[in-house]
Amino acid sequence: MNQNHFLDLFFNPKSVAIVGASRHRNTANYWLMANLLNLKYAGNIYPVNPNAAEILGLKCYPSVREIEGEVDLAAISVPAPLTLGVVKDCIAKHVKGIVIIAGGFSETGGRGQSLQEEIKRLLKENGIRCIGPNSLSPINSANNFIIGFGAAYKLPKGRLSFIFQSGLYQPRLDYLLNDMHINISKLIDLGNKMDVNETDALEYLKDDPETEVIAVHMESIAGDARRFFQLLKEITPKKPVIVLKSGRTPAGAKAASSHTGAIIKASDVVFDTALKQAGAIRVQGLDEFFDLAKVFEYYQPLKGNRIAIASFSGGEGVITTDFCYLNGLTLAQPSEESMKVLRTIMPPWEIPVNPYDTGVANQFVSTDTVSVYVDTLSNDPNVDCLAIQVGGPQTLITVGSQATLDRWTEYYIKAVQKGKRLVIWPLDPRNVKDMKDTLESHRIPVYPSAERAVRALGALYRYQTIKERV
Amino acid sequence: MNQNHFLDLFFNPKSVAIVGASRHRNTANYWLMANLLNLKYAGNIYPVNPNAAEILGLKCYPSVREIEGEVDLAAISVPAPLTLGVVKDCIAKHVKGIVIIAGGFSETGGRGQSLQEEIKRLLKENGIRCIGPNSLSPINSANNFIIGFGAAYKLPKGRLSFIFQSGLYQPRLDYLLNDMHINISKLIDLGNKMDVNETDALEYLKDDPETEVIAVHMESIAGDARRFFQLLKEITPKKPVIVLKSGRTPAGAKAASSHTGAIIKASDVVFDTALKQAGAIRVQGLDEFFDLAKVFEYYQPLKGNRIAIASFSGGEGVITTDFCYLNGLTLAQPSEESMKVLRTIMPPWEIPVNPYDTGVANQFVSTDTVSVYVDTLSNDPNVDCLAIQVGGPQTLITVGSQATLDRWTEYYIKAVQKGKRLVIWPLDPRNVKDMKDTLESHRIPVYPSAERAVRALGALYRYQTIKERV
């Protein structure tokens, strides 16, 4: 919440009109209202649809003008050509803010473009702020307010806020809310950025005490670029900002312009340099975007970059070491005290303790090597973080049972409690759901591969160096 | 099979002694023998273990010397210090080839190093070739011959052969053979490369008619580097060669030397340039290694680089377009004929047909847009390949049922039959196993993300340009 900013109205409306609300469960518009009811959003909800008297037990209005109570926010989900009429109704009703969901505006050029300009002019004249068009916004987990096309039965509350340029997250809504295990504070989808843009969103989140991490997907800067980077510079020493900027290649830029009407003015090299100078963490694709969002949501930054690695094969240890180096992490040298213990989990000859090869060790050592390894290094002041590979019952016969996995989990949790940053990757993607659910319920992030696990830790350390630099 | 090469003995032995065979199911050594029996390997199997009279129904010998019949190959899985004695037995028995499985040799320096040198000298004097130590080799799907520590109940037969420097694949053996859906011809794990090295393996596979694609994991070049790159140059115009060279950073190189005794002489930049000149396709990590292995095993190279993309959000389409560009692919421009059909799956305004946003289209079009899209472009001479996102029942409400997924699959198969290269990525990783199993049983590769899907296609095209260059 940031009551001094105009966007607060969009995240914390006391009342909302859903224009285009539907009774039909198999339509996207049905969920605009159903979600608010299912989640027990406490504000007033006014469905607007000239063809219904009641929707989901609430009185339905033929037009926004007919609503008796005050309307803080109108979410308009009617086809583009009908939107202008609804906007005029909203003006007449003195609605305070508007979200336009439909596409078919500036991104199409021609008629859509002029329609958008007409709406923009009208709203400006009447001092009404607007998100969109072509946007599904916002989500606020604090008050269970959501405008979304997919079913949402819970909003996992956390300290990370998302800014999207488009409904990219929308087909993943169910995954995001239920199984991605990234807890969120707020989400705003900006769409065509006719009025509200990335700078407004950053300004709001900058002073929002419920937001400690920001992840931004964008295709263009619609507002004042100088102000955007200035804001980033002010935010990044306090809150990590992850940026996925797409349309970074000529082909991508062209696609972006048809997608959200994004006009990409500067070259990507210029953008990239400016982002770096502003202390933002740039990512290249969606995998990295959500990977980093998770690690920053789970963990505070890494003060040191000394990592310990354990994998089921020495070969994977070497590959992982390469990735550590490329991500700014360095192999930890365990203390002499640790070494005394670690020597008890060696085969008849000495293998490296870092990266540690549990596959070889398990052939000769009857102790549970993984538990000893993690337990020992979780007490070692020379170790800042760990990346550990886990396997399920289907893997190496030496890995064993559910009891083993449970014991490992205990040691992982203890390591995190002792201040280590721990990341896990499984041997293979089969049957990992239970393990992932358990570990992530304890706020230990699981990544599909060593490469992605150490990339996340590397970002956690890189951010610390950014903080210190500023 | 390449009968003129000495390595043929290792892939096609008529008899094998398993030294260190075990009756105990919970030991790795048990599976060395059990796999051969379960897979009905047709050669003679001689278990060797002084503490057993019979193992899995076969007569067990106290030493290799006592075996009555001829022994083509001895796979030695006893601890390093006992290996020298067994090697002497093998020499006395006139065994033709040896695989040494144990670690604890040159990679440990000191005593292990001198032990390895002693064995090397003895074998050379007696003209016996040897894979290892520190290796689990080989696998040949043609005759169901496998030396491996994990349970193997089937060897999926295909046209791809692997060369590994280490048992990296070993903890993943069950996954590789059962669920990775990469069919293999042969696999060789070279370990410490005391004798047989990467050059020997390449030489063999070069003229092996059962091998059409080669994937190499290596930490060092143990043999003659000039010969290695010369061989690559000869192979790559005929067979794609994927190379994962680890130990490419200073930290990784150090880890590699403790792992397989790998001595990394040249800088990675030099290695990288030489690989490129030799026409090999270098990958950076295990994800990419197996991703590319799969695409090359499934598909012939791509003659053109024009791609069509369909995703559930325009935002993801833009991101995917960026990755296409970065991977050397260009957005296809559908023919006028295609455009006539594609206009029927547009919302009330025109959206781009490439990348195509099914999420927006599905809000307005009641036709099954994905089927129309794939069907139309599979007939379009302007399109070489397609990357299509699929969703399960849990995703967008507009995606729908199993029947939809089944219908899509039919169109995907048809597109591939018409010569298009098609790759699929799911919206999220939940419940994709059935879909993946089905599609991959039809030889349509499924990747976890758009980024990885188009990276695989990009490599398929890059290889074609390599072929043409030579």
Side-chain angles (χ1 to χ4, degrees):
Chain A
M1 198 175 268
N2 173 2
Q3 283 178 308
N4 300 323
H5 196 279
F6 80 89
L7 270 180
D8 202 54
L9 171 83
F10 289 81
F11 289 108
N12 293 292
K14 290 197 195 68
S15 54
V16 59
I18 305 290
V19 188
S22 169
R23 287 160 295 181
H24 305 296
R25 234 186 120 86
N26 62 341
T27 65
N29 277 7
Y30 171 86
W31 295 101
L32 293 174
M33 260 195 67
N35 286 335
L36 293 172
L37 293 170
N38 290 336
L39 288 163
K40 303 194 178 16
Y41 158 69
N44 291 320
I45 308 169
Y46 303 112
V48 177
N49 181 336
N51 305 313
E54 195 185 284
I55 294 182
L56 287 166
L58 293 181
K59 179 182 172 184
C60 187
Y61 299 84
S63 117
V64 175
R65 291 178 199 251
E66 317 286 323
I67 297 171
E68 296 96 4
E70 270 202 9
V71 177
D72 272 2
L73 192 65
I76 307 177
S77 187
V78 300
L82 302 179
T83 300
L84 179 60
V86 177
V87 165
K88 287 177 180 165
D89 292 344
C90 289
I91 292 169
K93 175 67 191 164
H94 300 293
V95 161
K96 292 180 194 147
I98 289 177
V99 175
I100 301 177
I101 298 174
F105 292 92
S106 66
E107 79 278 18
T108 67
R111 175 84 194 94
Q113 173 76 43
S114 44
L115 191 56
Q116 180 172 316
E117 302 210 338
E118 170 73 358
I119 292 172
K120 183 177 178 177
R121 190 185 54 77
L122 277 176
L123 290 177
K124 195 163 186 194
E125 278 174 17
N126 290 279
I128 301 175
R129 304 304 300 256
C130 179
I131 299 178
N134 204 3
S135 86
L136 272 154
S137 270
I139 295 177
N140 183 4
S141 67
N143 63 352
N144 281 330
F145 185 66
I146 176 170
I147 297 296
F149 274 173
Y153 295 98
K154 63 167 188 183
L155 299 181
K157 290 164 197 13
R159 61 195 193 93
L160 177 133
S161 291
F162 282 113
I163 301 172
F164 285 100
Q165 170 131 23
S166 82
L168 178 59
Y169 71 97
Q170 196 63 28
R172 287 182 177 80
L173 187 62
D174 183 77
Y175 179 48
L176 177 65
L177 298 180
N178 292 299
D179 290 294
M180 207 186 261
H181 305 151
I182 298 178
N183 299 333
I184 58 175
S185 171
K186 297 180 181 64
L187 182 153
I188 182 168
D189 166 14
L190 298 167
N192 289 8
K193 300 180 183 175
M194 175 186 77
D195 173 22
V196 175
N197 62 36
E198 63 290 332
T199 305
D200 301 311
L202 273 186
E203 248 173 21
Y204 179 80
L205 295 176
K206 172 175 178 273
D207 296 318
D208 174 29
E210 291 155 355
T211 297
E212 296 172 33
V213 180
I214 302 171
V216 187
H217 158 253
M218 59 196 298
E219 297 182 346
S220 66
I221 299 180
D224 177 350
R226 185 179 302 228
R227 173 90 185 111
F228 174 75
F229 289 111
Q230 180 55 38
L231 264 173
L232 274 183
K233 233 174 241 170
E234 291 165 22
I235 297 171
T236 55
K238 289 170 210 138
K239 306 180 181 187
V241 182
I242 300 153
V243 178
L244 170 61
K245 161 75 170 64
S246 59
R248 62 195 161 113
T249 65
K254 207 177 147 213
S257 120
S258 312
H259 174 230
T260 52
I263 297 159
I264 295 165
K265 294 163 201 157
S267 86
D268 194 63
V269 178
V270 172
F271 186 87
D272 199 63
T273 308
L275 266 191
K276 273 204 194 80
Q277 282 171 351
I281 295 157
R282 187 175 190 182
V283 299
Q284 302 305 322
L286 282 173
D287 286 347
E288 193 180 3
F289 184 67
F290 288 113
D291 282 357
L292 265 53
K294 180 147 73 186
V295 88
F296 280 103
E297 202 264 312
Y298 281 30
Y299 287 138
Q300 293 298 321
L302 248 176
K303 298 228 160 115
N305 68 343
R306 299 162 304 170
I307 187 171
I309 302 162
S311 61
F312 290 123
S313 74
E316 186 147 1
V318 174
I319 294 168
T320 308
T321 302
D322 279 335
F323 280 113
C324 286
Y325 183 91
L326 297 169
N327 283 286
L329 301 173
T330 179
L331 290 185
Q333 307 269 0
S335 68
E336 254 321 301
E337 207 172 326
S338 296
M339 286 305 296
K340 273 179 212 156
V341 184
L342 294 180
R343 283 194 191 99
T344 67
I345 52 165
M346 292 290 181
W349 68 95
E350 269 207 21
I351 59 171
V353 290
N354 191 18
Y356 179 70
D357 180 342
T358 53
V360 163
N362 289 345
Q363 286 170 42
F364 297 91
V365 185
S366 57
T367 329
D368 173 0
T369 54
V370 175
S371 295
V372 175
Y373 191 76
V374 173
D375 187 38
T376 306
L377 296 185
S378 66
N379 293 308
D380 191 323
N382 295 353
V383 175
D384 300 303
C385 56
L386 298 99
I388 308 289
Q389 187 174 35
V390 301
Q394 262 177 305
T395 57
L396 268 189
I397 48 164
T398 38
V399 167
S401 62
Q402 187 59 42
T404 309
L405 293 175
D406 293 344
R407 188 169 57 243
W408 291 353
T409 304
E410 278 177 43
Y411 284 105
Y412 300 155
I413 295 169
K414 272 192 221 156
V416 172
Q417 284 166 346
K418 286 174 182 166
K420 307 302 180 195
R421 308 283 185 277
L422 185 93
V423 293
I424 297 291
W425 85 97
L427 191 56
D428 71 56
R430 300 172 308 172
N431 307 319
V432 295
K433 189 181 180 320
D434 286 352
M435 179 171 61
K436 193 165 182 288
D437 286 352
T438 306
L439 288 169
E440 296 191 338
S441 75
H442 290 289
R443 312 278 291 160
I444 295 168
V446 178
Y447 292 104
S449 61
E451 175 177 348
R452 287 170 63 175
V454 302
R455 181 171 68 184
L457 283 180
L460 216 47
Y461 175 68
R462 204 157 75 246
Y463 174 65
Q464 179 66 26
T465 64
I466 290 167
K467 259 173 90 102
E468 283 166 7
R469 193 188 67 193
V470 189
Chain B
M1 199 173 270
N2 173 3
Q3 283 178 309
N4 300 322
H5 195 279
F6 80 89
L7 269 180
D8 201 54
L9 171 83
F10 289 82
F11 289 109
N12 292 293
K14 291 195 194 69
S15 54
V16 60
I18 306 291
V19 188
S22 169
R23 284 158 298 179
H24 304 296
R25 234 186 119 86
N26 62 341
T27 65
N29 277 7
Y30 171 86
W31 295 100
L32 293 174
M33 259 195 67
N35 286 336
L36 294 172
L37 293 170
N38 290 336
L39 288 163
K40 302 194 178 18
Y41 158 69
N44 291 321
I45 307 170
Y46 303 112
V48 177
N49 182 337
N51 304 315
E54 195 185 284
I55 295 180
L56 288 165
L58 292 181
K59 181 181 170 186
C60 186
Y61 299 84
S63 116
V64 175
R65 292 177 199 251
E66 317 286 323
I67 299 171
E68 295 97 5
E70 271 202 8
V71 178
D72 272 1
L73 191 65
I76 307 177
S77 186
V78 299
L82 301 180
T83 301
L84 180 59
V86 177
V87 165
K88 286 177 180 166
D89 292 343
C90 290
I91 292 169
K93 175 67 192 164
H94 300 292
V95 160
K96 291 181 195 147
I98 289 177
V99 176
I100 300 177
I101 298 173
F105 292 93
S106 66
E107 80 277 17
T108 66
R111 176 83 194 95
Q113 173 76 42
S114 44
L115 190 57
Q116 180 171 316
E117 295 197 352
E118 170 73 357
I119 292 172
K120 183 176 177 177
R121 189 186 55 76
L122 276 178
L123 291 177
K124 196 164 184 193
E125 276 173 19
N126 289 279
I128 301 175
R129 305 303 301 256
C130 178
I131 300 178
N134 204 2
S135 85
L136 273 155
S137 269
I139 295 177
N140 183 5
S141 68
N143 63 352
N144 281 329
F145 184 66
I146 177 170
I147 297 295
F149 273 174
Y153 295 99
K154 63 167 188 183
L155 299 181
K157 290 165 198 6
R159 61 196 194 92
L160 176 131
S161 291
F162 281 113
I163 301 173
F164 284 101
Q165 170 132 23
S166 83
L168 177 58
Y169 72 97
Q170 196 62 28
R172 286 183 178 82
L173 187 63
D174 184 77
Y175 180 48
L176 177 65
L177 298 180
N178 293 299
D179 290 293
M180 206 187 261
H181 305 149
I182 298 178
N183 298 333
I184 58 173
S185 170
K186 297 180 181 63
L187 182 154
I188 183 168
D189 166 13
L190 297 167
N192 290 9
K193 301 182 184 175
M194 174 187 77
D195 172 22
V196 175
N197 62 37
E198 63 290 333
T199 305
D200 300 310
L202 273 186
E203 248 172 20
Y204 178 82
L205 296 175
K206 171 176 179 271
D207 296 319
D208 173 30
E210 291 156 354
T211 297
E212 297 172 32
V213 180
I214 302 171
V216 187
H217 157 254
M218 59 197 297
E219 297 182 346
S220 65
I221 298 180
D224 176 351
R226 187 180 299 228
R227 173 91 184 110
F228 174 75
F229 289 112
Q230 180 54 37
L231 263 173
L232 274 184
K233 233 175 241 170
E234 291 164 22
I235 297 172
T236 55
K238 289 169 209 139
K239 306 180 180 187
V241 181
I242 301 153
V243 177
L244 170 60
K245 162 73 171 66
S246 59
R248 63 196 161 114
T249 64
K254 208 176 146 213
S257 117
S258 313
H259 173 232
T260 52
I263 298 159
I264 295 165
K265 295 163 202 159
S267 86
D268 195 63
V269 177
V270 173
F271 186 88
D272 200 63
T273 308
L275 266 191
K276 273 205 193 79
Q277 282 171 351
I281 295 156
R282 187 174 191 182
V283 298
Q284 303 303 322
L286 282 174
D287 286 348
E288 193 180 4
F289 184 67
F290 288 113
D291 282 358
L292 265 54
K294 179 146 75 186
V295 89
F296 280 103
E297 203 264 313
Y298 282 29
Y299 287 139
Q300 293 298 322
L302 247 177
K303 298 229 160 113
N305 67 343
R306 299 161 304 171
I307 188 171
I309 301 161
S311 61
F312 291 123
S313 73
E316 186 148 1
V318 174
I319 293 168
T320 308
T321 303
D322 279 334
F323 280 114
C324 286
Y325 183 90
L326 297 169
N327 283 285
L329 301 172
T330 178
L331 290 185
Q333 307 270 358
S335 68
E336 254 321 302
E337 206 172 327
S338 297
M339 286 305 296
K340 272 178 212 155
V341 184
L342 295 179
R343 281 194 193 99
T344 67
I345 53 165
M346 293 291 182
W349 67 96
E350 269 206 23
I351 59 170
V353 289
N354 190 18
Y356 179 69
D357 180 344
T358 53
V360 164
N362 290 345
Q363 286 170 42
F364 297 92
V365 185
S366 57
T367 330
D368 173 0
T369 56
V370 175
S371 294
V372 174
Y373 191 76
V374 174
D375 186 39
T376 306
L377 296 185
S378 66
N379 293 308
D380 191 322
N382 295 353
V383 175
D384 300 302
C385 56
L386 298 99
I388 308 288
Q389 186 174 37
V390 302
Q394 264 177 305
T395 57
L396 269 188
I397 48 163
T398 40
V399 167
S401 60
Q402 187 59 43
T404 310
L405 292 175
D406 292 345
R407 189 169 56 244
W408 290 354
T409 304
E410 277 176 44
Y411 284 105
Y412 300 156
I413 295 169
K414 272 192 221 157
V416 172
Q417 284 166 346
K418 286 173 182 165
K420 307 303 182 196
R421 308 282 185 278
L422 185 93
V423 292
I424 298 290
W425 84 97
L427 191 55
D428 71 55
R430 301 172 307 172
N431 307 318
V432 294
K433 189 180 180 320
D434 286 352
M435 179 170 62
K436 193 164 183 287
D437 286 351
T438 306
L439 288 168
E440 296 192 337
S441 75
H442 291 289
R443 313 276 294 161
I444 295 168
V446 179
Y447 292 104
S449 61
E451 175 177 349
R452 288 172 61 174
V454 303
R455 182 171 67 181
L457 283 179
L460 216 48
Y461 175 69
R462 204 158 77 245
Y463 174 65
Q464 179 67 24
T465 65
I466 290 167
K467 257 172 92 101
E468 283 166 7
R469 191 189 67 191
V470 188

